[in-house]
C-alpha cells in the first residue's frame, strides 16, 4: 500500500505542488523496507530514498555478474550508499543529490549507461566522444553477459543490498562519533 500526500509546500519553490509518497515493501532476505519519494509539479525537483525498518550495521556488498541472467538480481540502494563498478571504472558517491531506489543489476548499470550517453551526446571533444562510445560497447557486453562485471556498494547505514546468494556481504564497523 502506498501512502500519498499531495499539495504540500515545496522546500525549493515554495509552491503547494509537492507530492510525497511512502511505501512499505518486504524484500526477501532483506526485510521490511520503506521507499520514500517526493516530487514537485512546479519546479520538477524529485528525491527518493530507501530505508530498512530496523537498524543495520554498515555494509560492503560485492557482486560479480557472470551471465545475462545476473541482470535480473535485485538491488536495494540507499541515498547514503556509494556504488562502484571497477570493471567500467565508474562510481557514484552518496551526497545530497543521491537517490535511493530498488532496481535490478540491469537497472543499476543502465543508470551508468545514461551518464555515459549524455557525456557522448553533449561534448564537442572527439576524444571524449570516442571514449564514451567505447565504454558504451563495454557496458552492452556486460549487460549481455559476455564479460564479467564487479559491482561494489558501500553503505554506512546498512540500508543497501544485492539480493543474491552470490553476493558477498561484509559487515563494517560503525564510525565513532
Amino acid at each position: 500500500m502506498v501512502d500519498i500526500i499531495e499539495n504540500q509546500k515545496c522546500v525549493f519553490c515554495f509552491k503547494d505542488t509537492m507530492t510525497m509518497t511512502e511505501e512499505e515493501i518486504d524484500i526477501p532476505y532483506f526485510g521490511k523496507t520503506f521507499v520514500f519519494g517526493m516530487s514537485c509539479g512546479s519546479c520538477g525537483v524529485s528525491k527518493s530514498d530507501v530505508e530498512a525498518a530496523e537498524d543495520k550495521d554498515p555494509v560492503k556488498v560485492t557482486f560479480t555478474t557472470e551471465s545475462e541472467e545476473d541482470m535480473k538480481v535485485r538491488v536495494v540502494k540507499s541515498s547514503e550508499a556509494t556504488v562502484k563498478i571497477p570493471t567500467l571504472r565508474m562510481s557514484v558517491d552518496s551526497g545530497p543529490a543521491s537517490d535511493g531506489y530498488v532496481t535490478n543489476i540491469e537497472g543499476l548499470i543502465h543508470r551508468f549507461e545514461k551518464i555515459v550517453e549524455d557525456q557522448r551526446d553533449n561534448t564537442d571533444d572527439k576524444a571524449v566522444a570516442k571514449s564514451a562510445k567505447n565504454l558504451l560497447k563495454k557496458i552492452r557486453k556486460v549487460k549481455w553477459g559476455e564479460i564479467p562485471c564487479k559491482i561494489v556498494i558501500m553503505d554506512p547505514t546498512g540500508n543497501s543490498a544485492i539480493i543474491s546468494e552470490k553476493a558477498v556481504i561484509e559487515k563494517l564497523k560503525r564510525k565513532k562519533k
Side-chain angles (χ1 to χ4, degrees):
M1 181 166 177
V2 179
D3 291 326
I4 300 172
I5 304 171
E6 296 179 320
N7 304 318
Q8 299 299 299
K9 186 169 294 296
C10 176
V11 295
F12 295 95
C13 71
F14 305 108
K15 295 183 180 172
D16 293 330
T17 54
M18 177 71 71
T19 300
M20 299 177 359
T21 61
E22 177 184 286
E23 180 179 11
E24 181 182 317
I25 57 176
D26 190 18
I27 300 174
Y29 310 106
F30 189 71
K32 189 185 293 188
T33 306
F34 298 99
V35 179
F36 304 98
M38 66 178 201
S39 63
C40 179
S42 293
C43 68
V45 72
S46 67
K47 180 82 174 136
S48 62
D49 202 358
V50 177
E51 189 175 302
E54 60 187 53
D55 283 344
K56 296 188 178 273
D57 289 326
V59 294
K60 175 182 177 182
V61 184
T62 306
F63 182 83
T64 301
T65 65
E66 297 170 337
S67 69
E68 192 172 2
E69 190 66 21
D70 287 336
M71 295 299 116
K72 298 176 185 174
V73 170
R74 186 172 288 203
V75 176
V76 179
K77 184 228 174 260
S78 82
S79 64
E80 298 292 320
T82 297
V83 179
K84 295 180 180 183
I85 305 181
T87 307
L88 303 175
R89 296 187 181 142
M90 298 182 78
S91 68
V92 174
D93 292 330
S94 63
S98 181
D99 277 332
Y101 47 81
V102 178
T103 188
N104 57 21
I105 296 289
E106 182 177 19
L108 180 72
I109 291 172
H110 181 72
R111 289 170 183 266
F112 284 89
E113 185 177 35
K114 293 302 286 175
I115 293 167
V116 176
E117 286 173 345
D118 287 345
Q119 186 180 33
R120 175 199 62 198
D121 296 343
N122 296 308
T123 185
D124 293 329
D125 186 329
K126 289 184 181 185
V128 169
K130 182 177 179 180
S131 177
K133 186 177 174 183
N134 290 334
L135 186 53
L136 287 169
K137 287 179 186 176
K138 191 171 185 179
I139 290 171
R140 285 186 198 98
K141 287 182 178 185
V142 166
K143 288 169 79 174
W144 295 335
E146 294 178 7
I147 57 173
C149 179
K150 183 177 180 180
I151 297 167
V152 180
I153 300 177
M154 301 282 292
D155 190 342
T157 67
N159 288 322
S160 297
I162 298 175
I163 313 300
S164 170
E165 292 177 1
K166 290 177 21 178
V168 177
I169 302 166
E170 182 182 342
K171 298 224 186 246
L172 304 174
K173 293 182 180 178
R174 291 189 185 273
K175 290 185 179 179
K176 294 181 180 178
K177 293 180 182 181

